[in-house]
Amino acid sequence: MVGEKGLEEFREQVDLGNRSGTSLDTYEQRWRTPVRPRIEGLSISELTVGRADSIVQTINKEYSASTARTVRAILSGVCGLAFRHEALKVNPVRDARPVENRKRKKAARALTADEVLDIFAKADADEIAQRQDLPDIMRFYGGTGERTGEGIVVRWENIGFGKKVAWVEGNMVRTKADDAKINEGKSANALRSVRWPTGSWKCCSIDVLGWRLRRASGPKN
């Protein structure tokens, strides 16, 4: 099937380092669930502009604009592959309507200091959270604003205690193709420095990390 062949080419690009394993996981999931059931049994010549447009717009209504855009990219890749092998004279997906986002996103809101401290207090009182070191991890995220994958790969040498700065140098990702590995990111913002806040709850992150470092480097029993 042309779609499976398209995924094989995508995997080859992942192996070459030109595409990410997370993108491959997303494409494979979208191909199996919303795409393949809608085109299975069709010849590639039957995937007309109207049919491609109908598939994409229906998925936009049933799922989301993000899913529909991914599906559009998958269908375009499938038809592009067929075009390169001269099974199609044009790529019909190019003339399908663009995906419109019908849902208005809510504006993001930062937590207040009181809300953050309340979350920390609840984690401190939870035995399971304490065994998993979650209170300290949460304080690190609260102080730096880093994402989970970024915080996991931070090492002691990435933290400037004197200047109260943390350096982000990668992101932990887990994919079927690569398992777990450190990804350097797609943009310049993926590698950056982050300053700790100077407000009333600054001690919730930098001081805790300093205590953990002293405990880790202290004398062993």
Side-chain angles (χ1 to χ4, degrees):
M1 193 173 186
V2 181
E4 300 293 344
K5 180 62 178 177
L7 286 176
E8 288 180 14
E9 288 193 351
F10 201 104
R11 293 187 193 99
E12 292 173 0
Q13 292 301 310
V14 172
D15 294 337
L16 292 172
N18 298 328
R19 296 294 185 95
S20 71
T22 52
S23 295
L24 175 60
D25 286 353
T26 300
Y27 273 50
E28 287 183 333
Q29 193 278 331
R30 299 290 189 270
W31 167 251
R32 289 194 306 269
T33 307
V35 179
R36 187 168 62 185
R38 287 176 166 85
I39 65 173
E40 207 161 25
L42 297 176
S43 66
I44 193 63
S45 61
E46 292 177 296
L47 191 56
T48 60
V49 175
R51 181 163 275 150
D53 180 83
S54 176
I55 291 172
V56 171
Q57 299 305 324
T58 300
I59 289 174
N60 188 17
K61 293 177 182 178
E62 295 181 358
Y63 292 84
S64 67
S66 175
T67 299
R69 291 190 184 98
T70 303
V71 167
R72 195 179 196 278
I74 292 171
L75 291 175
S76 181
V78 169
C79 293
L81 175 63
F83 175 77
R84 292 194 299 274
H85 287 80
E86 300 182 354
L88 286 176
K89 294 183 178 180
V90 295
N91 186 335
V93 183
R94 292 181 179 179
D95 292 323
R97 287 174 293 172
V99 176
E100 302 291 343
N101 191 349
R102 295 178 174 84
K103 296 180 180 178
R104 181 176 296 177
K105 292 184 178 180
K106 293 183 179 179
R109 181 184 71 84
L111 295 174
T112 66
D114 288 340
E115 289 172 331
V116 172
L117 292 173
D118 180 61
I119 293 173
F120 290 161
K122 290 175 179 177
D124 291 338
D126 189 285
E127 293 183 1
I128 297 177
Q130 290 181 26
R131 287 200 299 270
Q132 300 294 331
D133 281 337
L134 290 182
D136 291 353
I137 294 174
M138 291 167 62
R139 283 172 167 83
F140 179 80
Y141 293 149
T144 63
E146 290 186 8
R147 294 174 296 179
T148 301
E150 294 172 335
I152 288 175
V153 301
V154 169
R155 299 177 175 85
W156 292 119
E157 56 265 30
N158 298 131
I159 301 173
F161 287 94
K163 296 181 178 180
K164 294 182 171 58
V165 174
W167 285 273
V168 181
E169 296 187 350
N171 181 41
M172 177 67 73
V173 296
R174 184 182 296 275
T175 68
K176 294 178 181 178
D178 303 319
D179 198 15
K181 74 170 188 177
I182 298 176
N183 185 356
E184 293 184 353
K186 299 180 180 179
S187 66
N189 193 49
L191 305 178
R192 65 191 188 280
S193 61
V194 179
R195 287 193 174 276
W196 262 279
T198 57
S200 59
W201 53 281
K202 62 181 180 179
C203 62
C204 293
S205 54
I206 189 70
D207 290 351
V208 168
L209 285 175
W211 171 78
R212 288 186 68 88
L213 176 59
R214 291 191 296 273
R215 186 180 67 174
S217 58
K220 301 290 189 289
N221 293 328

